Amino acid sequence: MPRRRPGALRAARDLEPHRIASWQRDLPPIDRLSRTTSALVRNAEAARPGYHVHPGSVRTNLARYRAFLRLPGEKLRLPTSGCLSCPGCQYDDIAYVRDALQDALMLLPLPARTELRRLLDTLDTRFRRRTIPDRWSSRTDWLGEPPPWWHRRVYTDARGAE
């Protein structure tokens, strides 16, 4: 009997957790994503919930990100959260919303990740154009690395989200 090559076995194994039930494709798609990608996002949210990722988080955070970008005015400043330790209030800070979208992006398989990345790239371009870079930001994380670029923007109170 012919045996399957190791590459074929690995490919079949890697596709296993990303299978989509037929009923999942019938659900309404997430904002500007295909039905297949939306189903894969829902699978990732349900299978691997984390600090920022839970069922429905991508849909909610995309809506928050778009709502911020629709605010009137030419240049926007990021609003700070009243209390960053509160799980609900921290998402008043758009930088944390973008963190949540980045975390969800890392959980997706490659085709879905590419589609969500394309959507985020267009939103990020608008975000960079409409916000002001903070040239004096010298914050680092506990490893001494600077935070992602979306945390290094000017906040409404000019101190940043700490």
Side-chain angles (χ1 to χ4, degrees):
M1 172 173 3
R3 75 181 192 96
R4 293 176 65 189
R5 296 186 351 222
L9 291 172
R10 277 192 301 276
R13 184 192 65 209
D14 291 343
L15 288 176
E16 186 97 4
H18 308 300
R19 291 184 189 224
I20 302 169
S22 61
W23 62 268
Q24 287 179 317
R25 290 182 203 268
D26 296 336
L27 294 173
I30 295 174
D31 188 26
R32 293 177 179 83
L33 294 176
S34 68
R35 288 187 182 276
T36 303
T37 300
S38 297
L40 288 169
V41 166
R42 288 187 189 99
N43 279 349
E45 289 173 339
R48 292 173 254 161
Y51 180 64
H52 286 303
V53 180
H54 49 80
S57 63
V58 172
R59 177 187 299 273
T60 304
N61 289 325
L62 278 173
R64 285 179 180 147
Y65 201 32
R66 285 185 191 284
F68 175 73
L69 293 173
R70 272 190 237 115
L71 290 174
E74 187 176 330
K75 291 293 183 182
L76 301 174
R77 291 174 180 250
L78 276 63
T80 55
S81 173
C83 57
L84 285 174
S85 59
C86 178
C89 293
Q90 72 180 356
Y91 295 109
D92 293 343
D93 184 350
I94 295 301
Y96 283 92
V97 169
R98 184 60 181 81
D99 282 341
L101 291 169
Q102 187 68 26
D103 288 351
L105 188 70
M106 294 301 119
L107 295 177
L108 296 174
L110 189 58
R113 185 182 314 159
T114 304
E115 188 174 345
L116 183 57
R117 163 63 52 211
R118 226 178 292 131
L119 176 64
L120 284 177
D121 284 345
T122 60
L123 293 173
D124 287 345
T125 302
R126 288 175 45 200
F127 186 78
R128 284 180 195 233
R129 189 177 62 234
R130 299 223 32 224
T131 57
I132 305 163
D134 188 1
R135 299 179 195 277
W136 307 109
S137 176
S138 60
R139 295 182 300 138
T140 59
D141 64 6
W142 61 279
L143 291 174
E145 297 177 7
W149 65 267
W150 52 85
H151 280 279
R152 291 177 281 160
R153 310 309 273 183
V154 175
Y155 282 79
T156 53
D157 64 356
R159 68 172 171 84
E162 298 173 10

